[in-house]
Amino acid sequence: EVQLLESGGGLVQPGGSLRLSCAASGFTFSSNAMSWVRQAPGKGLEWVSSISGTGGNTYYADSVKGRFTISRDNSKNTLSLQMDSLRAEDTALYYCAKGSTLFDFWGQGSLVTVSS
Amino acid sequence: EIVLTQSPGTLSLSPGERATLSCRASQSVSSSYLAWYQQKPGQAPRLLIYGASSRATGIPDRFSGSGSGTDFTLTISRLEPEDFAVYYCQQYGRSPRYTFGQGTKLEIK
């Protein structure tokens, strides 16, 4: 059974940093691209970033480019998202998702709140 | 960036009725790379349809997708109580800027 478990969310001040992690199990992690998709409170879905199975290719939405860094550790089946220079508009539930174009499994999300 | 516009914003129907949800793209979606997701309150989205018309694993056959180019439709043939949720369309043909529609809320009448 595919399982994705996010952690690392919390309250951070504008301009601060936070690192999200996603522990994956139930599938061959290194063979699959992975992504982060976020959802602001009461709003729709927004693709944030994707990474290839090897980690050699990364992609970002314009809204986070230069501030967020996606990475993965295939030896630990873990996906990460380093978020720097956070803004109020980054407040959202961040989902870890399997896939890079189509998202066939999702975690339950980790809430990030950017507020002073 | 391809903008997806879903209609209606809210659809009120009764169990047993047929639901028709629309997703219109601002530009043609290549190779019908269009997906539909269902999201229930407090839950993560679930993939329903990909490639415009292929059902994901475990999705009941009352869910069907159709369309091409810029106009796509999700149809639920006979609504079950568990089908009332928010539905999102997503295009994944324009790499890597994969965009979602704003969602259609399907509520019980």
Side-chain angles (χ1 to χ4, degrees):
Chain A
E1 179 192 4
V2 173
Q3 290 194 345
L4 299 171
L5 184 61
E6 301 94 337
S7 61
L11 175 64
V12 61
Q13 293 188 336
S17 298
L18 212 55
R19 186 177 183 88
L20 301 182
S21 295
C22 172
S25 61
F27 64 102
T28 305
F29 183 70
S30 60
S31 296
N32 286 272
M34 298 291 295
S35 300
W36 291 96
V37 178
R38 68 184 180 184
Q39 186 170 36
K43 302 297 184 183
L45 302 167
E46 180 189 15
W47 169 76
V48 174
S49 182
S50 297
I51 187 168
S52 62
T54 63
N57 294 294
T58 58
Y59 309 93
Y60 299 93
D62 289 344
S63 57
V64 306
K65 194 175 296 182
R67 300 187 299 121
F68 290 12
T69 303
I70 191 172
S71 61
R72 63 191 297 158
D73 184 338
N74 286 343
S75 68
K76 296 182 179 178
N77 287 2
T78 301
L79 175 72
S80 297
L81 185 68
Q82 176 67 39
M83 303 183 292
D84 299 320
S85 303
L86 283 161
R87 307 167 180 168
E89 54 265 36
D90 295 319
T91 293
L93 186 62
Y94 284 73
Y95 292 104
C96 166
K98 177 174 168 284
S100 64
T101 54
L102 194 62
F103 311 116
D104 56 356
F105 289 96
W106 301 59
Q108 287 304 303
S110 183
L111 182 62
V112 172
T113 303
V114 185
S115 175
S116 56
Chain B
E1 175 179 300
I2 297 179
V3 177
L4 300 178
T5 302
Q6 294 185 238
S7 61
T10 302
L11 184 58
S12 299
L13 293 170
S14 300
E17 291 193 295
R18 181 185 185 90
T20 303
L21 288 67
S22 174
C23 176
R24 177 162 290 179
S26 60
Q27 306 170 46
S28 182
V29 177
S30 59
S31 303
S32 294
Y33 287 151
L34 194 286
W36 291 92
Y37 298 85
Q38 176 194 66
Q39 186 177 34
K40 297 179 181 179
Q43 296 186 18
R46 177 175 70 147
L47 177 65
L48 297 176
I49 300 287
Y50 64 94
S53 60
S54 297
R55 276 187 300 276
T57 303
I59 302 304
D61 60 8
R62 64 179 181 273
F63 290 90
S64 63
S66 62
S68 63
T70 60
D71 290 295
F72 299 87
T73 300
L74 174 69
T75 301
I76 310 172
S77 59
R78 290 181 317 279
L79 285 166
E80 297 287 342
E82 62 268 26
D83 297 338
F84 292 90
V86 178
Y87 291 84
Y88 295 95
C89 59
Q90 179 224 348
Q91 68 81 20
Y92 54 101
R94 184 65 60 86
S95 172
R97 291 173 177 77
Y98 312 116
T99 49
F100 292 87
Q102 83 281 15
T104 289
K105 182 180 181 180
L106 179 55
E107 64 177 23
I108 300 177
K109 187 174 182 180

